[in-house]
Amino acid sequence: MYCRYIKPILDKLLALILLIVFSPIFLIVSLLIYFKMGRPILFTQDRPGKDGKIFKIYKFRTMTNETDENGELLPDEQRLKGIGKTIRKLSLDELPQLINVIRGDMSFIGPRPLLVEYLPLYNKEQARRHEVTPGITGWAQVNGRNAISWEDKFKYDVWYVDNCSFLVDMKIIWLTILKVLKQEGISSEQHATMEKFKGSR
C-alpha cells in the first residue's frame, strides 16, 4: 500500500518543495560548472527504471572532457578533479534528479538506476531490483555505496524490494544524511566511481 500508492505522492510533493528551496544552490552549482568546466552543465544518460523502462537521468556534470593524444577520454579518476570532485563529495551532483522524481521516473529511496548495458547481465534474483522505482539513495548506498562489491550491492537492493516501508525509508534517509556528512563510500578502492559490472560468476 505504502510503496505503490502513498510513496509516489509523497515523493513528488517533497521533490517539488526541495526544488524550490534548493533553487539558489542549483544556480550556484550551475555557474561554478559553467565557469570552471564549461558546457554542458548537466550530465544526462539513459537508465532503466521500474520494470526496466528506460528514462533519461539528470545529474550535474562532475568530470572534465579531457582527452589523450588519440582523442579518447582520460580515465574517470583523471577527469574527476577540482570543483567536480567537490560537487561529487558533497553529493550535489544528485540534485537535478529531483526533476526525475517529479516526473515519476525515480523515487527518493530505491535501488540506484544503473547502466542500460547491465540489463542482460543480471541473474534472475538481481533483476528483481527493477520491481520498484529506482531511487536517489537506497539501502545499498547507506551500506557502502561504491565501496562494496556488485554482488553485495544487488543483495541490498533486493532486500529493499522485499522490505519497502515508511520506517525503512526514514531510516535510509537518516543514514544517507550521515553518509553525506562523513563523505563515506563515494569511491571504490581502485576507481574514482565504481568499476563496471561484468556479470556475476
Side-chain angles (χ1 to χ4, degrees):
M1 179 71 175
Y2 164 73
C3 290
R4 179 169 294 185
Y5 301 109
I6 300 176
K7 183 177 178 180
I9 296 174
L10 294 178
D11 278 336
K12 292 181 180 181
L13 287 175
L14 181 57
L16 183 59
I17 293 171
L18 291 179
L19 195 61
I20 296 171
V21 172
F22 289 148
S23 56
I25 298 178
F26 266 79
L27 178 60
I28 292 171
V29 174
S30 297
L31 290 174
L32 286 172
I33 293 173
Y34 179 78
F35 287 110
K36 293 292 184 179
M37 293 191 291
R39 293 185 294 181
I41 293 173
L42 291 180
F43 168 81
T44 62
Q45 190 176 57
D46 287 342
R47 297 288 177 93
K50 188 176 185 300
D51 301 322
K53 182 181 179 181
I54 307 301
F55 70 95
K56 195 171 293 293
I57 194 172
Y58 301 103
K59 300 178 74 171
F60 278 125
R61 185 163 71 95
T62 57
M63 295 186 187
T64 66
N65 293 321
E66 295 175 278
T67 59
D68 59 21
E69 61 274 11
N70 298 317
E72 299 290 333
L73 285 173
L74 293 174
D76 290 354
E77 56 267 23
Q78 294 182 35
R79 295 187 296 120
L80 181 62
K81 57 186 179 181
I83 189 63
K85 195 170 187 178
T86 300
I87 291 172
R88 179 75 65 88
K89 280 187 176 181
L90 297 175
S91 295
L92 294 176
D93 57 314
E94 311 286 358
L95 283 179
Q97 288 168 52
L98 290 173
I99 299 171
N100 288 119
V101 176
I102 292 173
R103 288 164 54 94
D105 301 323
M106 294 179 64
S107 170
F108 279 100
I109 311 296
R112 284 293 296 167
L114 302 176
L115 299 178
V116 175
E117 65 189 74
Y118 295 169
L119 285 174
L121 301 179
Y122 299 134
N123 60 38
K124 187 175 180 180
E125 183 70 6
Q126 292 168 347
R128 293 192 59 223
R129 67 192 311 278
H130 293 295
E131 292 178 11
V132 296
T133 303
I136 295 177
T137 185
W139 191 233
Q141 279 60 51
V142 299
N143 280 284
R145 198 174 175 180
N146 289 329
I148 59 176
S149 69
W150 280 112
E151 284 70 22
D152 287 340
K153 185 177 292 190
F154 295 144
K155 287 179 182 177
Y156 286 128
D157 288 342
V158 174
W159 182 92
Y160 179 78
V161 171
D162 293 330
N163 294 275
C164 176
S165 70
F166 178 76
L167 291 179
V168 168
D169 280 0
M170 292 301 101
K171 181 177 181 179
I172 292 174
I173 289 175
W174 170 245
L175 291 175
T176 297
I177 293 172
L178 294 180
K179 287 283 184 180
V180 170
L181 292 176
K182 295 179 180 179
Q183 298 178 11
E184 292 179 348
I186 294 172
S187 301
S188 65
E189 292 181 1
Q190 296 85 16
H191 300 266
T193 51
M194 184 74 182
E195 185 179 8
K196 282 194 172 185
F197 177 58
K198 299 176 182 178
S200 298
R201 295 182 179 178

